[in-house]
Amino acid sequence: LKNIEYAINQNIRDSKKNSIFCDIFSGTTIVSQYFKRKYKIISNDLLYFSYCLQKSYLEINKRPKFKNLNLNLEIEEYLNKSDQLKKGFIYKNYSPGGKEKRRYLSTENAQKIDNLRFKFNKWLTEDKIDENEYFYLVSLVIEATPFVSNIAGTYGAYLKNWDKRSFKKLELNPLNIINNNMKNKSYNEDCNNLIKRIDGDILYLDPPYNSRQYLPNYHLLETIAKYDDPKIKGKTGIREYQDQKSNFCNKSYAEDALESLIKNANFRYILLSYNSEGIISERKLEKLLRRYSKKLFKKYRFDYRRYKKDKKTNKDKLYELIHVIDKN
């Protein structure tokens, strides 16, 4: 975040004229949240669980009141105190209680998630909560689930033996909502389609850089967010994701997808973050960006350590490249 901010401050000085920041690969919204303090935010991601987080952290500026529920407690405290459990889709497919005996979640936490998601959908149908309140509640569960999940980092697979955090009880904590007093807007679309309909000042691009598709690695969060009883398959219980595959993860299409995004961008400045091991080479990236830069082209390199698990190549240098160009 500090590196991105540094690149902006070094090259984009007139902040009054550059008030709209677009994070078009928003993910967990960490970047957008950081820059929400200074800019009006446009955010987007292809995954629905990200969209829920965007709606909660970015679109709204104040914590919802939940007036129609007539609670004497804060909503998180009320939900945490409830001991209601439900043997629903998550319990049946992602805990040992199900036929496949998958170990993503303990039976109790899986049932707690099922109960919460059933409750939120019911409240929305009965007009006890509005859309903003609904997304806020779903986001509470999305944020809480990784802290009790039996995984190594992503949901591509569960651990054979139970991790100690799996025995913790699911706990919902209030979201830290930043108020920038602006009408921020979030989307859940293919970025190459969305880019043709939006405009602004700073476009931040942090596309996938390797061949690993995101949905298989976060499928459980996607299913919790949608709670749509999807068809699932395989040992890990993955949901179908053909319509959510990203061209940025395909070596044959990634460069064309990036060029299309930049070509159609109606933004004054573009910042691109990309890993040194990305499927688009550093040379090709620079050539592409220079093709669309008006006058400005800057490149910053920030070294960092490789993920510890990869011991064989841990000594190799790894770095992040941040490019800055002026387009319009």
Side-chain angles (χ1 to χ4, degrees), residues 4-21 35 38-39 201-204 267-271 296 298 300 323-327:
I4 299 166
E5 188 173 41
Y6 174 81
I8 290 175
N9 291 340
Q10 289 296 305
N11 298 284
I12 307 172
R13 301 189 182 279
D14 193 348
S15 60
K16 290 183 179 180
K17 290 184 179 179
N18 298 289
S19 58
I20 301 176
F21 182 99
F35 288 101
K38 185 176 180 180
Y39 303 102
D201 302 300
I202 301 171
L203 174 64
Y204 175 66
F267 285 79
R268 294 181 67 193
Y269 298 94
I270 297 176
L271 277 79
L296 172 68
K298 288 290 179 68
Y300 300 91
H323 305 79
V324 187
I325 67 169
D326 58 341
K327 185 167 187 286

Side-chain angles (χ1 to χ4, degrees), residues 27-73:
T28 57
T29 75
I30 296 301
V31 172
S32 294
Q33 286 185 60
Y34 186 81
F35 288 101
K36 187 182 179 185
R37 294 177 175 86
K38 185 176 180 180
Y39 303 102
K40 176 181 176 179
I41 299 295
I42 299 173
S43 66
N44 174 66
D45 202 277
L46 195 59
L47 297 186
Y48 187 76
F49 88 84
S50 170
Y51 180 62
C52 294
L53 297 176
Q54 293 172 57
K55 295 285 284 187
S56 301
Y57 281 114
L58 306 175
E59 276 208 4
I60 65 173
N61 283 317
K62 293 181 180 178
R63 189 174 178 278
K65 299 293 186 182
F66 300 96
K67 291 180 180 179
N68 291 340
L69 292 178
N70 297 316
L71 303 177
N72 295 321
L73 303 170

Side-chain angles (χ1 to χ4, degrees), residues 151 214 302:
I151 57 173
Y214 273 71
F302 300 97

Side-chain angles (χ1 to χ4, degrees), residues 83-96:
D83 58 0
Q84 291 180 325
L85 302 175
K86 185 176 179 62
K87 294 182 179 180
F89 190 86
I90 304 302
Y91 166 81
K92 292 174 183 176
N93 293 285
Y94 301 105
S95 84

